[in-house]
């Protein structure tokens, strides 16, 4: 049994220690604890209350400006430059460059006085874990504070707003209301099955339309079905499928022999859309003999529109297709197209312009071709065919016809009274004809010499129009007229250069 004196002595010795611990707790400082894996029911929260862990003050790492190895039992305070030595596998540390170590040694002095490093982490138990006040040695104040912090966090999470400023409860109510307005996926599936809705592929639709056309007796219905087919064959693969199904033989060819102008135009439009930039369908069309049919269709009366549609289909068939151009020449296609220029009526001008545009595109294609394509195109001397076929005077004469528009008679009469050239330029037509003449100047220089006076007059006319348009608010007219004037002046220069040679 201890004496009363020894008990009093024990209490007196313990009092400074209790006061020191109370003072440390009052400061709410953190100490460094090793990283541990938290339990599933625990959350890590950084707070300013003390969780004590014994640290040996004598094992604190003392840094210098040189790299030193950190031993396993060393305690490293914040504020150092730390690295891993890849050769030794050990950690090394030193003072940061430019730091004299004042802050580090102040922290070391404080650590020696207080007994802790001043950094650390706290573990806040969740509600389903036994609280700290039930465990031996639990601190009721800390537990109450941790629980309050947890409740504040949970309340803050509940009050988080969405991007449009709505709370989770409001979003839930809104979703429930929206769900009432729409039918479920199962209901839609049931309705679709009741109406027997079946999705068809393009191939199945082509087969269906072809069958309907072959059984139809009405020209109007056939024209409608040809429009449907034309819409489908715009797609590259559908055009090939249409040819593989024999659509060129069973649909296009009979329709071109129809007595109905509407059916013929529909078939020509369908053919042009199917063969355009599609070599496989172009070959199938040649094998079906459709090129000869198109040449014959061009010679028909231009008033019904069949001839213009035939030029469209013929252009789509031979553009970018050297073999098709060779077949066109071999079957006298150029001679047939040339005869269209014998018509001197203004109703034939649109058809003649389409032919001129086709010739221009074929010449440009040769000028821009390279490699194997150039060799294929050179097998046919297209320029010579134009020179001996009478195309040079035909195109230059079209320039005269294209230099007026008889739809405005009052302008022409006024120009005639002022001793001006009684011709009103049609700008789009002049553009096409001059472009074609520029591509043909190599083989047509002598014939184009006769058109020089008209070309100079047109160049001056467009220069004047450009000068007037530059003072207007709209710059579109100025750019158009200036461009035409420069193009005509370039053609004049090329003709003069060739003539001098």
């Amino acid at each position: 049994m201890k004496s009363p004196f020894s008990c009093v002595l024990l209490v007196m010795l313990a009092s400074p220690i209790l006061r020191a611990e109370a003072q440390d707790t009052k400061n709410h400082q953190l100490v460094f604890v090793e990283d541990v894996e938290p339990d599933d029911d625990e959350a890590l929260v950084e707070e300013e209350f003390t969780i004590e862990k014994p640290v040996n003050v004598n094992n604190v790492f003392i840094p210098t400006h040189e790299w030193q190895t950190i031993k396993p039992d060393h305690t490293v305070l914040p504020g150092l430059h730390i690295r891993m030595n890849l050769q030794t596998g050990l950690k090394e540390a030193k003072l940061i460059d430019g730091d004299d170590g004042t802050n580090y040694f102040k922290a070391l002095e404080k650590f020696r006085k207080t007994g802790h490093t001043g950094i650390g982490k706290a573990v806040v138990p969740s509600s389903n874990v036994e609280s700290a006040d039930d465990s031996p040695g639990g601190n009721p104040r800390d537990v109450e504070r941790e629980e309050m912090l947890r409740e504040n966090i949970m309340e803050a999470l509940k009050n988080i707003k969405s991007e449009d400023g709505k709370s989770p409860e409001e979003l839930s109510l809104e979703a429930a209301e929206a769900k009432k307005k729409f039918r479920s996926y199962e209901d839609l599936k049931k309705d679709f099955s009741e109406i027997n809705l079946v999705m068809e592929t393009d191939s199945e639709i082509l087969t269906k339309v072809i069958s309907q056309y072959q059984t139809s007796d009405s020209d109007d219905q056939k024209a409608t079905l040809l429009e449907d087919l034309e819409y489908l064959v715009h797609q590259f693969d559908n055009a090939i499928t249409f040819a593989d199904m024999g659509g060129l033989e069973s649909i296009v060819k009979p329709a071109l022999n129809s007595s109905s102008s509407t059916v013929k135009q529909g078939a020509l439009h369908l053919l042009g859309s199917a063969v355009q930039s599609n070599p496989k369908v172009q070959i199938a069309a040649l094998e079906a003999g459709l090129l000869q049919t198109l040449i014959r269709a061009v010679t028909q009366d231009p008033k019904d529109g069949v001839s213009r549609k035939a030029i469209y289909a013929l252009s789509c068939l031979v553009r970018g297709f050297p073999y098709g151009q060779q077949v066109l020449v071999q079957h006298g296609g150029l001679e047939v197209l040339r005869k269209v220029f014998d018509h001197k009526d203004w109703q034939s001008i649109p058809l003649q312009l389409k032919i001129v545009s086709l010739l221009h595109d074929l010449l440009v294609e040769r000028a821009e071709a390279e490699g194997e394509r150039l060799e294929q195109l050179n097998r046919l001397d297209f320029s010579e065919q134009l020179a001996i076929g009478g195309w040079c005077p035909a195109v230059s004469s079209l320039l005269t016809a294209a230099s007026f528009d008889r739809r405005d008679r009052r302008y022409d009469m006024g120009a005639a009274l002022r001793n001006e050239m009684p011709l009103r330029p049609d700008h789009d037509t002049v553009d096409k004809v001059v472009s074609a003449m520029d591509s043909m100047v190599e083989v047509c220089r002598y014939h184009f010499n006769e058109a020089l006076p008209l070309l100079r007059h047109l160049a001056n006319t467009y220069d004047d129009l450009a000068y007037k348009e530059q003072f207007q608010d709209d710059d579109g007219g100025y750019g158009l007229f200036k461009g035409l004037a420069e193009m005509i002046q370039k053609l004049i220069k090329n003709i003069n250069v060739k003539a001098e040679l």
Side-chain angles (χ1 to χ4, degrees), residues 108-407:
L108 175 59
E109 185 65 23
K110 182 178 179 180
F111 173 53
R112 287 173 175 171
K113 293 179 179 180
T114 61
H116 59 77
T117 61
I119 57 174
K121 294 183 179 179
V123 179
V124 180
S126 59
S127 58
N128 59 348
V129 181
E130 182 181 1
S131 61
D133 55 349
D134 295 335
S135 59
N139 190 336
R141 288 183 56 192
D142 293 343
V143 173
E144 181 181 356
R145 185 175 182 180
E146 295 165 10
E147 185 64 25
M148 183 180 300
L149 178 62
R150 177 182 171 279
E151 291 177 356
N152 291 337
I153 293 174
M154 298 302 295
E155 187 65 24
L157 292 174
K158 291 180 181 179
N159 294 329
I160 293 178
K161 300 287 186 179
S162 63
E163 293 182 356
D164 53 1
K166 297 181 179 180
S167 64
E169 292 78 5
E170 293 173 339
L171 291 175
S172 299
L173 293 175
E174 189 176 285
E177 292 295 330
K179 187 176 181 180
K180 296 178 181 178
K181 298 179 181 179
F182 299 97
R183 303 165 66 188
S184 67
Y185 178 67
E186 296 298 330
D187 293 339
L188 293 176
K189 286 177 59 178
K190 182 179 179 181
D191 291 344
F192 286 150
S193 61
E194 290 177 355
I195 63 176
N196 196 23
L197 180 64
V198 179
M199 299 298 295
E200 293 180 321
T201 63
D202 288 348
S203 177
E204 293 172 341
I205 296 175
L206 282 171
T207 304
K208 181 180 178 180
V209 176
I210 290 174
S211 177
Q212 291 177 351
Y213 182 89
Q214 293 172 339
T215 58
S216 176
D217 297 329
S218 170
D219 290 340
D220 292 338
Q221 185 179 7
K222 287 183 177 180
T224 302
L225 293 172
L226 289 172
E227 290 181 3
D228 295 340
L229 289 172
E230 190 273 334
Y231 173 79
L232 290 170
V233 300
H234 267 105
Q235 186 175 346
F236 188 88
D237 294 337
N238 286 345
I240 297 176
T241 303
F242 177 73
D244 292 340
M245 290 180 176
L248 298 177
E249 291 281 356
S250 61
I251 301 295
V252 176
K253 207 168 185 178
L256 293 178
N257 294 323
S258 173
S259 59
S260 171
S261 174
T262 305
V263 174
K264 286 183 180 179
Q265 293 184 51
L268 291 169
H269 197 190
L270 168 62
L271 177 60
S273 299
V275 300
Q276 189 170 21
S277 303
N278 199 324
K280 186 173 182 178
V281 185
Q282 288 173 335
I283 294 174
L286 290 181
E287 293 176 350
L290 291 176
L291 189 142
Q292 297 88 318
T293 305
L294 293 176
I295 294 175
R296 292 193 300 269
V298 173
T299 62
Q300 295 189 15
D301 189 354
K303 295 180 181 179
D304 60 2
V306 173
S307 56
R308 289 195 293 270
K309 288 290 185 182
I311 288 294
Y312 162 73
L314 183 63
S315 301
C316 294
L317 179 57
V318 300
R319 279 193 181 105
F321 187 30
Y323 180 65
Q325 298 171 21
Q326 182 179 352
V327 174
L328 173 66
V329 174
Q330 291 175 351
H331 286 80
L334 289 180
E335 289 81 358
V336 174
L337 297 177
R338 166 64 186 83
K339 292 180 180 179
V340 176
F341 289 81
D342 294 338
H343 302 287
K344 301 302 181 181
D345 56 298
W346 63 270
Q347 293 92 341
S348 300
I349 292 179
L351 179 61
Q352 294 169 0
L353 288 174
K354 288 182 178 294
I355 297 174
V356 168
S357 297
L358 172 59
L359 295 178
H360 170 67
D361 292 343
L362 297 180
L363 291 171
V364 171
E365 182 181 338
R366 280 163 170 73
E368 297 178 351
E370 297 178 353
E372 183 179 355
R373 178 172 290 274
L374 180 60
E375 295 178 1
Q376 294 175 350
L377 293 172
N378 286 338
R379 294 171 188 171
L380 174 64
D381 194 347
F382 195 74
S383 299
E384 182 181 357
Q385 294 292 330
L386 296 179
I388 65 178
W391 283 98
C392 299
V395 175
S396 60
S397 64
L398 183 59
L399 179 64
T400 303
S403 300
F404 67 93
D405 184 356
R406 297 187 179 276
R407 289 173 292 182

Side-chain angles (χ1 to χ4, degrees), residues 63 65 95-105:
H65 288 286
L95 291 173
I96 298 175
D97 294 340
D99 184 9
D100 58 359
T102 302
N103 294 332
Y104 187 87
F105 288 107

